[in-house]
Amino acid sequence: MKKQNKSSSVKPGSKRKSILTRTMIALVSLIGSIALSATLIGTFSAFAAGIRETPTQANPWGLAFDNGGHVWVAEPGCDAEPNCTTAFQSYIGEYNRSDESLVKNYFEPSGYSSPVFLAVKNNNIWFTQSTTNAIGELIPGSTPQWKQWKVPTASANPYGLIFDKNGNLWFTEYTGNKIGFFNPSTKTFAETTVPTANSHPY
């Protein structure tokens, strides 16, 4: 009497159906992944296009907060590393933090260029201009006022800045390899050389 082969209890047709089912599942998953990727890429592109502020690309850099719930953004219009290739007028943007809306773009007057970093003092906006080697001040309002002072060291490339508790402004000189000090009351500068040569204080 012949023994029954247990493997023969699985019909050949069932194997083919199982392979076909797995293949269909894999194919549907692949198509779904491709469709999802295309959707995400399209969504990202649309989002990026929606948040682009100007066709000239403002290239936002430093930002600072005031006491009124607004954030201020330096928009040099170039990748300032350490400065722009050419000097041109750019923007300082004011945004409402509560709804992320643009309040106003302050366009620099002639003789100013490429703000890089910002600091706020008494609701006035101070900024470094690495391309034109100057410290600037914006007094906002319906008729904004602009002021600037040239850094004593030529081509110093002023970058980061901050106020101390006495209201004095400190800033770094990226190429000048110095730490700068500016007294807003007397409009005078003082500079200290960094001990490490070519350290590029940022």
Side-chain angles (χ1 to χ4, degrees):
M1 183 176 177
K2 293 182 179 180
K3 292 182 179 180
Q4 185 178 2
N5 188 349
K6 292 182 180 180
S7 63
S8 64
S9 62
V10 180
K11 297 179 180 180
S14 298
K15 287 184 177 180
R16 286 195 296 271
K17 287 181 180 178
S18 178
I19 293 172
L20 181 61
T21 300
R22 290 196 298 268
T23 303
M24 289 299 294
I25 291 173
L27 184 59
V28 169
S29 298
L30 177 61
I31 293 172
S33 298
I34 293 172
L36 178 60
S37 298
T39 301
L40 290 175
I41 291 171
T43 302
F44 177 78
S45 298
F47 175 74
I51 63 172
R52 187 179 296 126
E53 186 183 339
T54 67
T56 55
Q57 298 181 340
N59 285 33
W61 268 63
L63 58 86
F65 299 94
D66 64 19
N67 294 324
H70 289 182
V71 58
W72 295 79
V73 183
E75 302 173 5
C78 75
D79 197 4
E81 295 183 356
N83 51 31
C84 299
T85 305
T86 58
F88 56 91
Q89 296 162 269
S90 191
Y91 299 88
I92 292 178
E94 178 186 8
Y95 296 84
N96 191 323
R97 291 174 63 188
S98 61
D99 60 7
E100 301 178 358
S101 63
L102 172 66
V103 177
K104 184 175 182 179
N105 267 332
Y106 289 85
F107 186 65
E108 293 180 314
S110 178
Y112 291 70
S113 73
S114 310
V116 183
F117 290 106
L118 306 174
V120 177
K121 183 68 175 177
N122 299 327
N123 289 322
N124 292 343
I125 316 303
W126 292 75
F127 53 97
T128 50
Q129 300 173 91
S130 60
T131 306
T132 49
N133 204 50
I135 301 294
E137 179 188 16
L138 163 63
I139 303 173
S142 55
T143 307
Q145 299 177 46
W146 298 82
K147 301 176 182 179
Q148 71 173 340
W149 298 267
K150 292 289 184 179
V151 174
T153 299
S155 302
N157 295 119
Y159 252 52
L161 71 169
I162 192 170
F163 281 97
D164 64 22
K165 64 180 181 180
N166 297 317
N168 296 310
L169 186 67
W170 296 79
F171 59 95
T172 61
E173 299 182 16
Y174 183 86
T175 305
N177 204 50
K178 298 176 181 179
I179 300 299
F181 170 92
F182 181 73
N183 185 324
S185 299
T186 61
K187 308 298 187 295
T188 55
F189 284 92
E191 297 171 295
T192 302
T193 301
V194 176
T196 305
N198 301 315
S199 62
H200 301 300
Y202 189 84

